Amino acid sequence: MLTRPSDALKLILNEVSFLSQETISLSKALGRYLSQSLVAPIFLPPFDNSAMDGFAVRCGDINVATSDRPISLKVVGMLKAGDDVEGMRRAMPLQQGCAVRIMTGAPIPAGTDAVIPFEETLTPQGRGGHETCTIPKPVRIGENIRKAGEDVQKGTCVLDKGVRLTPRNMALLAALGFSEVSVTRLPQVALFSTGNELKALGSVLEPGQIYDSNGPTLSLALQELGLKSKILSTPQDTLQDLLNTFQAASEAEVILTMGAVSAGDFDLIPQALEKLGAKVLFHKLAIKPGKPLLFARWEHRFLFCLPGNPVSSLIVFDRFVRPALLKMMGASLLFRQHYTALALHDIKATVGKEDYLRARITWKDGTFFAQLAGSQGSAHLAPLAESHALLVVPESISQIREGEKVEFEFWSETL
Ligand code: AMP
Ligand code: MG
């Protein structure tokens, strides 16, 4: 009896939980997940400041200015970014008919209520030295002033627990002065391929041998999630060698194996797990490709035993292992976004199994279109390499006709 993929995912996500938290420097936190929501400790910006290089003025002084009858104001000082706002307030109480030359980011002097950019005045823009500025039009109160707190109010929640840290949201954290953040710690992952036929990259193939592509591929898929992994050398297809390799991997919290989990005479992973005393939670899913996937617990460790066919192993990693790892890493979003495309041709699917088909996606006039990326054989890597997305076809469907809707998820948010 094959386990349904939705039940398998429920089971996996019930077993795994968030790991503990750790505090790390912001500079090391890219791609990590916040273990606590973050509250702004200061206002952003912290003080009223100029959005332009120009003159800080009192609007009331120039509200009748026109290009025919411009108004000249006396320039009584200069403020630049970094000047002490309080000191400047004391030093520069602005009188009627006066203005202050001001640079972007400088604090707004007391008494002024707008900034007029240099290019909107009739005053030549040469550096300094002008005792007056001539203004040809009125300005609105607050114009070109960035008010304290207009971006973020002190005390408000700026990022939620479970958010992934990116250069965009880390810009906000840096501006708010967070030098450190609390994130969920990363799981320790080990992986190994199995198969007498496999040779490591860099060696010369003898007849009957192939390169181990799954080991490097899965390690890269883990890297894409922000995880380093320990890659163990490939055991021979013997029970003893498998057991030794599991022991060598036993420091890890998550162990991924590839191959030897199907129905062949040398598919000895299930036997090895029995010997280890691991508890198998499911083996074999109603999916294509990737049917042989096995999920087990070995004491506190989680074991994902992936099929050996390279396309299958990467697909089941993406759909079943990735959400589990993301949950452990503290992520609030565990699944890829689903989109809908229109099929560019008839697409066959397997009744009784959820199909994952490698596809190329195009975008035209506001609609996604999908076409299969070549052969769907689970050993065919060339179509995988040129695919953008996986079409996900429910188990009840035998065919999608040209022009019908099909659901898909992109391999990556950034193509
Ligand atoms: P298995 O699941 O061990 O029966 O392997 C299924 C198919 O996948 C066989 O053709 C294997 O040679 C191939 N295979 C298994 N492991 C790997 C691997 N690490 N890299 C590339 N191909 C593999
Ligand atoms: Mg094998």
Side-chain angles (χ1 to χ4, degrees):
M1 180 67 181
L2 301 178
T3 307
R4 297 186 64 200
S6 53
D7 293 337
L9 264 177
K10 265 189 226 140
L11 215 149
I12 293 170
L13 295 176
N14 254 336
E15 286 291 311
V16 304
S17 42
F18 288 170
L19 299 178
S20 55
Q21 60 179 1
E22 60 186 358
T23 300
I24 60 173
S25 120
L26 190 75
S27 60
K28 298 242 158 66
L30 182 67
R32 300 289 295 270
Y33 295 88
L34 288 177
S35 58
Q36 291 171 358
S37 297
L38 293 181
V39 169
I42 57 172
F43 289 100
L44 209 59
F47 52 88
D48 294 357
N49 69 90
S50 178
M52 299 292 282
D53 297 319
F55 296 99
V57 298
R58 302 154 51 111
C59 292
D61 290 348
I62 53 170
N63 55 16
V64 293
T66 62
S67 48
D68 294 339
R69 289 172 159 262
I71 291 177
S72 288
L73 302 173
K74 185 175 175 213
V75 178
V76 295
M78 194 274 282
L79 280 172
K80 57 188 182 304
D83 283 347
D84 166 17
V85 58
E86 286 311 317
M88 280 306 160
R89 281 203 168 125
R90 282 193 299 277
M92 239 180 241
L94 201 78
Q95 305 297 316
Q96 202 176 348
C98 295
V100 174
R101 197 174 168 85
I102 193 164
M103 306 301 133
T104 304
I108 299 296
T112 64
D113 48 18
V115 170
I116 180 152
F118 287 139
E119 53 271 33
E120 290 177 22
T121 70
L122 303 179
T123 311
Q125 282 183 30
R127 290 182 183 278
H130 297 288
E131 282 167 9
T132 60
C133 67
T134 307
I135 297 172
K137 61 175 191 181
V139 283
R140 271 181 290 116
I141 289 181
E143 202 152 313
N144 296 314
I145 291 178
R146 303 188 285 217
K147 295 294 283 179
E150 74 175 23
D151 189 5
V152 176
Q153 288 285 312
K154 182 176 169 177
T156 54
C157 177
V158 285
L159 291 180
D160 288 326
K161 176 179 172 174
V163 160
R164 180 169 197 262
L165 292 172
T166 65
R168 274 83 55 202
N169 54 30
M170 290 169 94
L172 175 61
L173 298 187
L176 288 169
F178 286 97
S179 58
E180 296 183 324
V181 278
S182 289
V183 295
T184 308
R185 79 167 175 82
L186 301 176
Q188 291 167 294
V189 185
L191 59 99
F192 62 91
S193 298
T194 67
N196 291 358
E197 72 279 28
L198 302 180
K199 285 295 277 249
L201 296 183
S203 44
V204 177
L205 294 183
E206 304 290 339
Q209 295 181 330
I210 58 170
Y211 287 116
D212 170 14
S213 63
N214 290 347
T217 305
L218 268 289
S219 146
L220 290 169
L222 288 160
Q223 271 183 49
E224 205 174 37
L225 281 183
L227 294 173
K228 289 202 186 91
S229 52
K230 180 175 175 187
I231 308 184
L232 295 137
S233 50
T234 302
Q236 292 291 297
D237 284 321
T238 66
L239 193 55
Q240 193 52 51
D241 224 14
L242 279 181
L243 290 173
N244 293 344
T245 309
F246 272 115
Q247 288 302 344
S250 62
E251 272 177 26
E253 299 164 291
V254 177
I255 301 174
L256 308 184
T257 70
M258 289 150 284
V261 74
S262 192
D265 294 354
F266 297 92
D267 291 343
L268 299 173
I269 288 274
Q271 247 175 283
L273 296 183
E274 206 182 315
K275 274 260 183 239
L276 289 173
K279 181 178 164 204
V280 175
L281 295 159
F282 65 75
H283 184 197
K284 298 197 173 142
L285 301 185
I287 59 174
K288 189 180 172 189
K291 174 181 145 193
L293 179 65
L294 183 156
F295 174 55
R297 268 200 99 136
W298 176 27
E299 293 160 6
H300 62 283
R301 305 169 197 92
F302 299 105
L303 309 186
F304 292 92
C305 304
L306 316 180
N309 271 311
V311 178
S312 314
S313 65
L314 191 60
I315 289 178
V316 296
F317 173 84
D318 204 73
R319 299 199 56 86
F320 299 94
V321 186
R322 182 178 178 273
L325 292 169
L326 285 174
K327 181 164 179 192
M328 295 173 89
M329 292 162 77
S332 51
L333 283 179
L334 305 183
F335 301 107
R336 295 197 188 278
Q337 174 75 39
H338 267 224
Y339 299 91
T340 305
L342 300 184
L344 280 174
H345 53 79
D346 291 354
I347 294 171
K348 281 208 166 27
T350 324
V351 174
K353 286 188 182 165
E354 187 166 77
D355 285 88
Y356 309 126
L357 305 169
R358 282 68 78 205
R360 293 181 61 77
I361 303 292
T362 44
W363 169 259
K364 194 166 178 244
D365 299 334
T367 305
F368 286 120
F369 293 92
Q371 71 191 111
L372 292 184
S375 155
Q376 298 294 310
S378 56
H380 291 163
L381 288 168
L384 178 74
E386 64 162 40
S387 68
H388 304 126
L390 273 187
L391 308 184
V392 180
V393 186
E395 59 182 36
S396 58
I397 291 181
S398 64
Q399 189 177 41
I400 292 159
R401 290 189 190 283
E402 182 183 337
E404 284 181 354
K405 284 183 181 168
V406 58
E407 279 205 29
F408 72 94
E409 43 188 63
F410 283 114
W411 276 117
S412 153
E413 283 70 31
T414 50
L415 285 183

